[in-house]
Amino acid sequence: MIYIWLIALFFIYSIFPTWIVRISSFRVQKRVKKGVALTFDDGPDPVYTPQLLDLLKKYNVKATFFVVGWKAKKYPHLIQRMHEEGHTIGLHHYYHTSNWFLPPIVTEWELERSARAIEHMTGVRPVYYRPPWGHLNIWTVLMQKKYKIVMWTYILGDWRTSLGVDRLYERLMSSITDGSIIVLHDSGSTIGADEHAPANMLRALEQLLQHCSVQWVKVNEQ
């Protein structure tokens, strides 16, 4: 009987709020009002993030980065460069841990520690937050006074090298609809990701920026 209660509590605490948010967009942002928003998760990465920043600068595109706190502290120059080049920096937890398995106090700690680190580096406190894997719990839904949760319109599977450059490019092209928020990844060090998958992402993204002329926006440009 105790296992049934534990499963029920887990469902109420984690699965149910995630499901509600996914189907209803309750208190989260899944689109922008106009244009297309490129967002990048899991960085900064010492190899791929500089290449990505070079590419965005080449095509004069501003993006939104949801960064992992410990990586931000390890590579502060990349956080400072994002800020100096006009990108928006959001939070993606301190250790890229799922909210499904975090009690409220740890969820709050992960976000606060990351936010303080980024504010120290840039002078700007982050207000945008994307939960790892899109996993929420009851507590994260209640934290809207502190952070604005940003999900996505399209998530393309670019963390897998098996997807390939051509198929990723096709998915990117199909995702270019007015108001869409697109998720890509500038690091392959997360559990479940392929280490060198960002190399394919960069190649596909450059093809997109070469051939697709749209209004690129950051998530805060509302």
Side-chain angles (χ1 to χ4, degrees), residues 199-210:
N200 286 349
M201 181 277 291
L202 290 168
R203 291 171 60 193
L205 180 61
E206 179 149 32
Q207 290 184 45
L208 179 76
L209 297 180
Q210 285 175 339

Side-chain angles (χ1 to χ4, degrees), residues 43-220:
D45 182 272
V47 175
Y48 295 112
T49 302
Q51 296 179 51
L52 173 58
L53 289 170
D54 290 343
L55 182 61
L56 295 174
K57 186 174 183 179
K58 177 180 177 181
Y59 290 95
N60 194 30
V61 173
K62 306 303 180 188
T64 304
F65 289 83
F66 292 96
V67 303
V68 177
W70 75 265
K71 294 182 180 180
K73 290 188 73 173
K74 187 172 183 179
Y75 309 109
H77 63 289
L78 294 176
I79 299 298
Q80 290 163 355
R81 182 179 171 188
M82 291 174 191
H83 175 67
E84 290 167 0
E85 295 183 1
H87 304 291
T88 294
I89 301 171
L91 305 174
H92 202 47
H93 276 198
Y94 195 83
Y95 288 116
H96 201 285
T97 42
S98 170
N99 282 310
W100 286 0
F101 307 103
L102 296 181
I105 192 171
V106 179
T107 300
E108 178 70 19
W109 175 86
E110 289 236 10
L111 288 169
E112 182 62 26
R113 188 176 182 186
S114 300
R116 286 201 309 266
I118 293 166
E119 184 177 18
H120 178 74
M121 297 171 202
T122 66
V124 177
R125 186 174 178 84
V127 295
Y128 294 95
Y129 164 51
R130 174 173 288 153
W133 295 289
H135 292 176
L136 300 168
N137 60 38
I138 290 175
W139 182 250
T140 52
V141 174
L142 297 175
M143 287 195 306
Q144 285 294 339
K145 290 184 178 180
K146 282 190 174 183
Y147 306 103
K148 184 174 180 61
I149 296 175
V150 180
M151 300 293 269
W152 53 77
T153 317
Y154 297 101
I155 187 164
L156 307 180
D158 66 304
W159 57 87
R160 300 189 306 269
T161 54
S162 60
L163 181 63
V165 175
D166 292 339
R167 278 203 296 162
L168 178 56
Y169 172 68
E170 291 172 1
R171 291 186 182 186
L172 279 166
M173 289 296 292
S174 298
S175 303
I176 303 302
T177 58
D178 193 41
S180 63
I181 297 176
I182 299 172
V183 179
L184 295 168
H185 298 79
D186 58 324
S187 175
S189 63
T190 304
I191 294 174
D194 295 330
E195 182 180 0
H196 299 297
N200 286 349
M201 181 277 291
L202 290 168
R203 291 171 60 193
L205 180 61
E206 179 149 32
Q207 290 184 45
L208 179 76
L209 297 180
Q210 285 175 339
H211 299 111
C212 189
S213 178
V214 300
Q215 180 183 356
W216 302 106
V217 300
K218 300 180 289 185
V219 294
N220 55 318

